[in-house]
Amino acid sequence: MSVSAPEIPAKTRTGFKWDLKTVGPLAALALLVLLGITLNENFLTYNNITNVLARSSFIGIIAIGATFVITSGGLDLSVGSMAAVIAGVMIMVMNWLIPTFGIGWGVILAGMAAGILLGGVAGVGNGLMITRGRIEAFIVTLGTMGIFRSLVTFLADGGTLSLNFQVADVYRPVYYNGLLGIPYPILVFALVAIGGEIVMRRTAFGRHCAAIGSNEQVARYSSINVDNVRLITYILQGILVAVAVLLYVPRLGSASSTTGVLWELEAIAAVIIGGTTLKGGYGRIWGTVVGVIILGLIGNILNLQSFISPYLNGAFQGVIIILAVLLQRPRRAS
């Protein structure tokens, strides 16, 4: 008589999977660092690393908002176009106010306030159509992606909106300067990540996001206001897109129809690489941070070497998303 092998307890299997998901992004990050060091001796220099992190901070801040949206079972495809229209409106507001307030931080702060307000309003619009209008998040944000992109093209009259040169000189240090040698975009990204991790792990809102994404009906039975929680995630996403744009505008001082192109792809890729489940129910802010850095390093390595075109960066991101989702699929019991 044959004796079957003892079944591994469910708790042990779950623990192993959790460990694998945790180690996976960190192992990928370590391998990328080793690859970068091997390919180029300038990879680990201070200038290169800070440049990678500063450039990645825009996507990182947006991706943290996307983590809450995806954890609650939602999706926002409009973040790149939203960033473009926010940047355009900010520039227009600052240029309009120069005759009234002159060259200085008055017009810059007014532009920042307009950007934050517009980001919040865009998030409210997306959230209300999804929660009150009962329209699928994919359809709503696909539609607003086109609306926002068309708006910035219209505002720029098919060209580019440029910030007044003198105002740009005052605003530029927000991106290029820093504190204790750390650029401001990296510091803001770090603060947003820490705050996001605390909210996700230590507050009722974070737990409600996970509960809704895991099983919306059970969440409703548990007296969780599903619609309000989801609405807040989209508002948070819109505000964080605006925060990212506040740091992006001083870098180039312009906005056009190409601003923020594929940012939604990069944000979603970072979230999925970090271990957040695309179908919702489980999210990791720290994993998203690791995912953002991984994507930044991939782009940097492609730029530092010569045997693969850096124009294939988008292709790499697409492949990474597909592989990450494939690995998240539950295995069928044999």
Side-chain angles (χ1 to χ4, degrees), residues 99-125:
T100 303
F101 294 101
I103 305 297
W105 277 100
V107 296
I108 295 173
L109 292 175
M112 288 180 170
I116 295 291
L117 179 61
L118 183 56
V121 170
V124 169

Side-chain angles (χ1 to χ4, degrees), residues 91 161-164 168 248-255:
I91 289 171
L161 291 165
S162 298
L163 185 60
N164 176 279
Y248 175 81
V249 168
R251 177 171 172 249
L252 297 177
S254 63

Side-chain angles (χ1 to χ4, degrees), residues 264-274 291-292 295 317-318 320-321 324:
E264 59 279 344
L265 175 66
E266 294 183 56
I268 294 171
V271 173
I272 303 307
I273 291 169
V292 168
L295 290 178
Q317 292 170 2
I320 288 170
I321 290 178

Side-chain angles (χ1 to χ4, degrees), residues 86-284:
I86 291 173
V89 169
M90 279 182 60
I91 289 171
M92 292 176 69
V93 168
M94 286 187 276
N95 287 342
W96 285 340
L97 293 178
I98 290 174
T100 303
F101 294 101
I103 305 297
W105 277 100
V107 296
I108 295 173
L109 292 175
M112 288 180 170
I116 295 291
L117 179 61
L118 183 56
V121 170
V124 169
N126 280 341
L128 287 178
M129 284 187 283
I130 292 165
T131 59
R132 269 56 172 186
R134 305 300 176 189
I135 308 173
E136 289 293 330
F138 176 84
I139 299 300
V140 169
T141 58
L142 185 65
T144 53
M145 177 176 69
I147 293 170
F148 294 148
R149 188 66 63 187
S150 295
L151 277 176
V152 72
T153 305
F154 168 75
L155 293 174
D157 197 22
T160 300
L161 291 165
S162 298
L163 185 60
N164 176 279
F165 290 119
Q166 292 175 293
V167 176
D169 287 338
V170 177
Y171 197 3
R172 191 169 291 113
V174 171
Y175 177 80
Y176 289 99
N177 288 4
L179 184 65
L180 301 176
I182 304 174
Y184 289 124
I186 299 176
L187 293 174
V188 174
F189 178 28
L191 290 174
V192 171
I194 292 169
E197 180 68 20
I198 292 172
V199 171
M200 183 67 82
R201 291 280 163 255
R202 304 294 181 184
T203 69
F205 176 73
R207 292 190 293 272
H208 290 172
C209 287
I212 293 168
S214 180
N215 192 315
E216 180 179 333
Q217 205 59 42
V218 171
R220 291 185 187 276
Y221 291 149
S222 302
S223 300
I224 295 175
N225 194 323
V226 173
D227 289 342
N228 281 354
V229 171
R230 278 213 172 120
L231 176 60
I232 292 171
T233 63
Y234 284 99
I235 296 173
L236 178 63
Q237 175 74 93
I239 291 173
L240 288 180
V241 169
V243 170
V245 172
L246 301 187
L247 300 169
Y248 175 81
V249 168
R251 177 171 172 249
L252 297 177
S254 63
S256 69
S257 60
T258 60
T259 299
V261 169
L262 294 183
W263 280 15
E264 59 279 344
L265 175 66
E266 294 183 56
I268 294 171
V271 173
I272 303 307
I273 291 169
T276 295
T277 307
L278 184 59
K279 65 180 181 180
Y282 181 73
R284 291 193 308 208

